[in-house]
Amino acid sequence: MDEDAREKMALHRFRVIAPLLETGLSRQDLATRRAEILATEFRLPDAPLPRRISRRTLERWLQRYAARGFKGLTPQSRSDRGLCLAIDPQILRRAVELKDEVPERTLDRLLCLLAREVEAQPGTAAASSDRVARSTLHRHLQRLGKTRRLTTAPSRTFHRFEAKVPNELWMTDVKYGPYLPGEQEGTYRRAYLIAFLDDHSRAAWGAYYIAEDLPSLLDCFKRAMLRRGVPTRVYCDNGLVFKSRQFSRVCAELGIRHVFAKAYAPQGKGKIERFWKHVDTSFVPELQVSQPKTLEDLNRLFWAWLEVDYLHRKHGETDETPAIRHDRAKIAPLDPAVAAEVFLWKEQRTVDKAGLISVFGNRYEVDARLYRQRVDIRYDPFDLSAIRILCDGRRFPDAVVLNLHRAADPRVTPASPAKPRPGTDYLRRLQQQQEATARAKLGRLEFRNPPGQEERKDV
């Protein structure tokens, strides 16, 4: 198993055990969640069909995570992986053929038929067939998708749900935004609003972006946590951008449980859909007067509306403002140093015989000990001048730039320069009020000399 496959498996294992890692759970809650996990079929990376995990496997993953964190969930590679060791491949192929002929055949019937065929054709396979256990055959047939599964499910009822405390659950989604003038005269480009909403307080953070892509999602996620703290769970739909490995890795390294909404079940996204409706009725109509020309101007207006209007407006269901309800928990924001480390992107490169690697057309020199090695690189997608080098979990000296033809990852969209625009409309009044509040907070800070020292006067 290569490094890429091991990382996929580690992310899968983290998603399985994540419900048991939340703090403040009672013994009964833990037992209930453990039973739900053991009764659920999970789809392994690159596996054709889902399967259940055993209680022993679940306990082993929890122990490894407690000892080494996310890295402890990375499986060790095996030299005999993929080999059929417990059953002769010829016997397994014949069992699959018999199952395909009559899908209703049970395991006992298959074993009986196999035994009779071996008796009729004695040889080396006979000795192997004698050692085929019923559970072994069942496991291989299940892996190949040759067993019957339950096709009926009990009817479901939906109940109103709310997280007990702030940052227990965040919801995220993407919404189409207004059109902005393009770089060329007469052209326009659509903006996309990405937002994260706290389920308990309804406090939100979001921003507009030109592209509905992974860099925009990660940038918004980082900004949200730098202001609102780190959530316990993040609930999102099954869009490709939310299922990306970079986003899953960030959640795993921060200990965030990444939860996906079930297909064709929009009931779970009601709160963020209500937030979108409030944006459409309160913020978007005012843009007809403000008429922002740049993405930066649009975001400044949105953040002013969010901080001054939305967060301090009493919510109809909670009967409190989102700001009061969220600030009551006194949650510390994400450490910027941790954010800078976690949100680095990761790629793999092979060092050539000259000790060089290529990253999006740029050439870098790496440590001489890594010649012809497969290495992991960590980098800021907006700044390719600094590349971190890791191999087998060990960090080596950073790569040295030889030729820097491209300053940023080609998958990111650089922001256009801001153009100031005066105005006196409602949204710009909110922006001015937000700036005035910030200046007032700074003005209350007192800078005094230590006790016993006279005040210094400039001459």
Side-chain angles (χ1 to χ4, degrees), residues 217-230:
L217 174 65
L218 293 178
D219 179 75
C220 185
F221 194 30
K222 178 169 64 174
R223 290 171 179 265
M225 289 190 291
L226 288 174
R227 296 186 67 90
R228 308 281 188 244
V230 180

Side-chain angles (χ1 to χ4, degrees), residues 88 90-91 114-132:
D88 188 274
Q90 183 178 356
I91 294 179
L114 290 173
R116 291 183 178 181
E117 290 187 359
V118 170
E119 291 177 0
Q121 300 179 0
T124 57
S128 299
S129 65
D130 294 338
R131 296 195 298 268
V132 176

Side-chain angles (χ1 to χ4, degrees), residues 287-354:
L287 295 177
Q288 300 178 14
V289 180
S290 304
Q291 296 184 356
K293 301 299 183 183
T294 65
L295 184 67
E296 289 75 13
D297 196 13
L298 175 62
N299 274 323
R300 282 195 292 266
L301 294 175
F302 177 73
W303 293 333
W305 172 83
L306 191 68
E307 297 289 341
V308 179
D309 185 292
Y310 172 77
L311 291 179
H312 298 280
R313 183 186 296 271
K314 183 178 294 187
H315 196 277
E317 187 171 343
T318 64
D319 201 31
E320 289 183 304
T321 67
I324 293 177
R325 198 170 171 88
H326 187 274
D327 294 344
R328 186 181 295 122
K330 301 185 183 303
I331 299 174
L334 176 64
D335 186 351
V338 175
E341 179 71 23
V342 169
F343 279 87
L344 292 177
W345 285 29
K346 181 179 179 181
E347 298 282 349
Q348 287 189 329
R349 293 294 187 272
T350 300
V351 183
D352 62 18
K353 61 182 179 182

Side-chain angles (χ1 to χ4, degrees), residues 22 38 50 64 68 78 97 100 134 175 206 212 234 262 292 365 374 409 421:
E22 298 181 19
L38 295 176
R64 291 182 178 179
R68 298 185 56 200
R78 290 182 48 179
E97 293 175 358
D100 289 338
R134 187 177 187 277
K175 173 182 172 56
E212 186 185 3
V234 171
K262 291 188 177 182
E365 183 179 8
R374 188 73 170 172
D409 189 312
R421 170 186 170 87

Side-chain angles (χ1 to χ4, degrees), residues 276-292:
W276 290 149
K277 182 179 180 180
H278 191 60
V279 171
D280 286 337
T281 57
S282 179
F283 173 73
V284 174
E286 298 297 334
L287 295 177
Q288 300 178 14
V289 180
S290 304
Q291 296 184 356

Side-chain angles (χ1 to χ4, degrees), residues 393-405:
R394 296 172 52 200
R395 182 174 176 180
F396 289 80
D398 292 352
V400 179
V401 180
L402 297 181
N403 297 307
L404 191 65
H405 301 292

Side-chain angles (χ1 to χ4, degrees), residues 33-42 50-53:
R33 294 192 178 190
R34 194 182 303 270
E36 292 176 352
I37 292 175
L38 295 176
T40 303
E41 292 185 339
F42 297 95
R51 55 179 296 183
R52 296 182 181 181
I53 63 173

